[in-house]
Amino acid sequence: MTMATKRNLSQEKSAVGRDDNGPFSPKAGEKSIIAPAVPTSVILKLLGFTFAMFALPISSYFLTVNTIFRGNSTYAGGLAAILANVVLVGYVIVAMKEDQSERLEAEEKAKKGQ
């Protein structure tokens, strides 16, 4: 036979009602800054490349299968695969350039601060 203990829930505070003074809470007199972790420009680039990754290969396949390749779906599929890789490589290049520009800005700020 198991015995259960009864908890008094009225004395416990929920996580929302609790006043934590943890290491990440603002100190007295400071305002809490709530900013997105990822800049909006990065999200827009990701959405643009996602759309291109979806739309470009599919549309190229259906536009070329009967017009350029005259019903040969192998060539049209190959072109779609090549365009998907072009979009992927383009995204990697844009991401690397963005990372380099952020690093250069941080170095310039460090030089100006000295």
Side-chain angles (χ1 to χ4, degrees):
M1 183 175 206
T2 330
M3 296 184 68
T5 59
K6 184 177 178 184
R7 294 174 46 185
N8 191 357
L9 296 177
S10 64
Q11 292 177 353
E12 294 181 9
K13 288 186 178 181
S14 67
V16 176
R18 194 171 38 221
D19 186 19
D20 287 336
N21 291 326
F24 301 112
S25 63
K27 299 193 177 18
E30 291 182 0
K31 290 184 177 180
S32 175
I33 299 173
I34 300 175
V38 180
T40 306
S41 63
V42 173
I43 294 173
L44 291 176
K45 286 177 193 173
L46 179 62
L47 289 175
F49 277 101
T50 301
F51 178 75
M53 187 62 128
F54 172 74
L56 195 62
I58 292 175
S59 62
S60 71
Y61 174 82
F62 285 110
L63 290 174
T64 61
V65 72
N66 290 323
T67 57
I68 295 175
F69 298 119
R70 297 185 184 136
N72 190 344
S73 61
T74 303
Y75 291 148
L79 177 66
I82 290 170
L83 289 178
N85 284 308
V86 167
V87 172
L88 182 64
V89 169
Y91 179 72
V92 169
I93 290 171
V94 168
M96 287 175 55
K97 284 187 176 184
E98 183 175 317
D99 188 40
Q100 289 174 353
S101 67
E102 288 176 0
R103 186 175 42 228
L104 290 175
E105 288 175 7
E107 289 175 0
E108 288 178 10
K109 286 181 183 178
K111 287 179 183 178
K112 288 180 182 178
Q114 292 179 349

